Amino acid sequence: ATPGVEVVRRRSPEADYLFALNHTAEPGYVRGGGTDLLTGTGHPADGWVRLPPGGVVVLRTPREPAP
């Protein structure tokens, strides 16, 4: 993540969740993918997600079932 972007990751048996908060007055970026639970937008797993100044994103990535 770019400076000023706080990132927390949480896991459940079904999915991983990435919470990112931009604490700056400039756009910020976080590397990650999945579905943004706030907007429904999909992001590729190997991409960067843009956070507007003061913005928040919550990404959900489904986990593969255990064998």
Side-chain angles (χ1 to χ4, degrees):
T2 53
V5 175
E6 177 183 358
V7 177
V8 176
R9 185 178 302 273
R10 296 287 184 251
R11 293 185 159 199
S12 77
E14 298 83 29
D16 292 336
Y17 298 88
L18 184 136
F19 300 81
L21 295 83
N22 183 0
H23 294 285
T24 72
E26 301 293 326
Y29 296 86
V30 64
R31 184 149 193 133
T35 301
D36 183 340
L37 296 181
L38 303 177
T39 66
T41 303
H43 298 277
D46 60 349
W48 287 89
V49 179
R50 181 184 184 276
L51 286 90
V56 175
V57 66
V58 180
L59 298 175
R60 180 185 187 275
T61 304
R63 298 185 81 189
E64 295 294 323

